[in-house]
Every structure is written in structure tokens, then in C-alpha cells.
Amino acid sequence: MHKSSCFSEYDTLKKVVLCSATYMTIREPINETQKQFLKENIDTELAKKQHQQLVQVLEENGVEVLLLTPSEKYPEQVFTRDIGFTLGNQVFVAHMAHDVRQGEEQPLIDLLEKELITYTNLLEDKIEGGDVLIDRNTVYIGVSNRTNKKAIEHLQSLLPTFEVITVPFTDTYLHLDCVFNILSEDEALIFPGEIDEDKLKILSSRYNLIKVSEEEQATLGTNVLSIGNKRVLSLPINKEVNKNLRDRGYQVIEVDISEIIKSGGAFRCCTMPILRETPQ
């Protein structure tokens, strides 16, 4: 069996699952960002080009990209992060909460089986990968409209060696990774004012929190993707975030996926890591 392993959001990314934007469209708006763009909708051709560029940048940086088979039935399939997640040495297939996304699990299962990657299917649990972040022995899970406490308790029972911390946040944003994202063992991005105060204290005690402005939050400034060795994929438009990262010694790789973010997700949402290399 091929191995899967993911113990952080920032170790060197080796293998990741993406899905092309072939059928990307806003069919029924399922978040605030989509409501905003419903009229003009998404230029699918442009989204496809931008997504190909993203795949190319990942491959140029030594990441093996596994592509799901896109289906016209699933207009949100480009956001592979939510369909599953890798915690420690286990891949979990999530149960999608919104009916627009139900059924997306099957193409992922088909791919994992084809690649001989073992997985645990969370059949009845309401949980999505955008709410799940890992940092060594700790897993942070957002309590949202898409992820409920029962699912989190079940996951904790399957991960006895990990500390699972629930992080409630406001329902303005879809997933935890739209307001909080871990960059290294001591730094994280945060959009202030959304996370439960007691949990914010815990996060502040563990990380230097780099604040994202309201303006750059609107263009998903928090939702970057770390690919290891302090390399971070980010949107060119989020100049302040990019400057803050560069000032702290990160190499910011700018990729324009501005068409894709109209559907409410950016780099982290579009990528589901299967393998990150843990430093020895």
C-alpha cells in the first residue's frame, strides 16, 4: 500500500489531490461570496486556465498532483479539501453537508482505490476538510454549518493519540480555514473577530497571529497553501498578506486564481494533501 502521511499544514508537500474547474459554476449560492458573484457567475474557461496554472506551479515545486475526474453533477468539485483530509497516517473521506456537494465523495474514493491508498470512510458524520487543521499532535476542528460536534467526537475516538481542539466561529464564513490558517509551528494567519474568544486565547498562546485585513479577507487572504520550506502559495491581489509573509522570511509564490475564489475558496480549499514529508 502507498503511504499517506500528514502531520502539519506546512511540512513539504509531496502528493496532493486536485480537481479541474471543468464544470465550475455557481448553481445555487451556498456562501456569501457566491451570492455576490451569482449574476456575473464564473468564467469557466478562465477558471480552468487558472487551475491548470496552479497544477503547473505545484508540479514545478516537486509536488505530485493526482486529479479527480470532474463531473457535471458537481459544480463545487474543484474544492477537493472538503471531500477528505489526511490526519497522521490516515486518509478520511468526509460526508458532505450540503446537498449541492453530496456525491463528491465517490470520485475521491475511486481515485484512492486506484492509487492503492487506504482510507477511512466517515459515512454518517457531518464534517468537511476545510474545518480540519493539523499541527503535530493537535488537530483543530472548526464547529460550523458544515461540521458538527458529533462528527468531531467520532473523529476524536478514531484518533486517540491526538489532542482534538474544537474551534467555534461565526457563521459568516464557511470553514475554519477561511479565518485561520497555520503557516509554521509558531505562526498563523487569522481574520480577527470571528473565532470564539476562549479558543482564540489558546491559539494566541501557541502562535504569533498575523492579522488579515477586512479588504484582503474578502479575497480570501487567509486561505493560502504552504508547500514546505517556508514556501507559500498566495494570490497576487493580497499584497498586505504577501508583504507580511515575506517580511517573516516566507517565499511567496503568487498564483492568480481570482476566478476560482468567486466561488468562496482559494488555495487551501483547492488542495487535499495526501503526503507531506515530516522532517526527520
Side-chain angles (χ1 to χ4, degrees):
M1 286 295 179
H2 295 262
K3 94 178 164 30
S4 51
S5 175
C6 194
F7 283 88
S8 80
E9 300 295 325
Y10 48 81
D11 288 332
T12 303
L13 186 59
K14 285 295 182 190
K15 190 180 287 196
V16 67
V17 177
L18 278 81
C19 183
S20 100
T22 314
Y23 300 111
M24 191 178 181
T25 179
I26 303 172
R27 212 170 279 167
E28 50 170 309
I30 61 173
N31 57 46
E32 290 309 312
T33 316
Q34 288 189 3
K35 283 178 194 159
Q36 206 181 313
F37 288 107
L38 182 61
K39 266 208 187 74
E40 64 173 275
N41 219 298
I42 284 164
D43 178 340
T44 309
E45 280 312 303
L46 179 57
K48 260 166 57 179
K49 275 200 191 92
Q50 290 182 348
H51 193 274
Q52 282 161 352
Q53 182 66 38
L54 169 60
V55 170
Q56 193 182 330
V57 168
L58 287 167
E59 290 177 339
E60 283 165 2
N61 281 279
V63 184
E64 182 189 347
V65 176
L66 304 175
L67 287 167
L68 290 179
T69 307
S71 160
E72 211 166 339
K73 286 189 293 205
Y74 309 127
E76 304 276 308
Q77 211 180 356
V78 70
F79 301 128
T80 54
R81 172 72 63 162
D82 301 322
I83 319 168
F85 41 89
T86 308
L87 298 174
N89 296 316
Q90 271 189 89
V91 176
F92 292 92
V93 176
H95 177 66
M96 307 303 283
H98 199 286
D99 52 12
V100 142
R101 302 206 60 181
Q102 278 164 12
E104 282 185 44
E105 303 90 345
Q106 197 52 50
L108 174 62
I109 288 171
D110 294 343
L111 177 78
L112 293 172
E113 289 181 348
K114 187 177 129 230
E115 295 288 328
L116 307 178
I117 296 165
T118 51
Y119 62 91
T120 303
N121 200 343
L122 299 171
L123 285 171
E124 296 305 312
D125 289 352
K126 196 166 134 177
I127 187 164
E128 293 186 4
D131 284 322
V132 183
L133 292 94
I134 186 167
D135 195 358
R136 303 297 167 233
N137 300 327
T138 306
V139 180
Y140 301 95
I141 306 184
V143 183
S144 69
N145 294 333
R146 302 298 185 88
T147 297
N148 62 25
K149 285 207 170 91
K150 188 168 151 275
I152 297 172
E153 282 163 17
H154 182 212
L155 197 60
Q156 170 74 86
S157 73
L158 299 173
L159 297 168
T161 57
F162 290 85
E163 170 192 30
V164 173
I165 295 179
T166 56
V167 184
F169 61 100
T170 66
D171 59 7
T172 314
Y173 295 95
L174 201 59
H175 290 123
L176 182 61
D177 66 8
C178 294
V179 295
F180 172 68
N181 199 350
I182 301 166
L183 297 164
S184 73
E185 50 206 47
D186 47 21
E187 289 176 320
L189 286 168
I190 193 156
F191 178 57
E194 302 294 323
I195 287 175
D196 172 86
E197 275 180 31
D198 290 339
K199 294 301 159 84
L200 185 60
K201 284 187 187 122
I202 296 174
L203 298 178
S204 309
S205 70
R206 296 183 180 201
Y207 301 100
N208 295 320
L209 297 175
I210 303 163
K211 292 190 171 82
V212 175
S213 68
E214 199 152 336
E215 187 187 4
E216 293 196 354
Q217 177 60 20
T219 43
L220 296 168
T222 326
N223 202 264
V224 299
L225 176 72
S226 298
I227 59 169
N229 302 320
K230 294 197 88 162
R231 294 167 301 162
V232 178
L233 270 56
S234 182
L235 284 157
I237 197 170
N238 294 329
K239 292 184 168 50
E240 201 183 320
V241 166
N242 296 349
K243 180 185 185 303
N244 280 334
L245 293 179
R246 288 186 177 114
D247 288 350
R248 288 168 172 80
Y250 291 90
Q251 179 194 341
V252 177
I253 302 168
E254 295 186 4
V255 185
D256 182 8
I257 56 165
S258 50
E259 200 59 28
I260 290 170
I261 71 166
K262 289 180 180 177
S263 217
F267 298 99
R268 191 176 186 275
C269 298
C270 287
T271 50
M272 182 201 151
I274 295 284
L275 185 62
R276 284 186 184 269
E277 233 165 45
T278 315
Q280 295 309 317

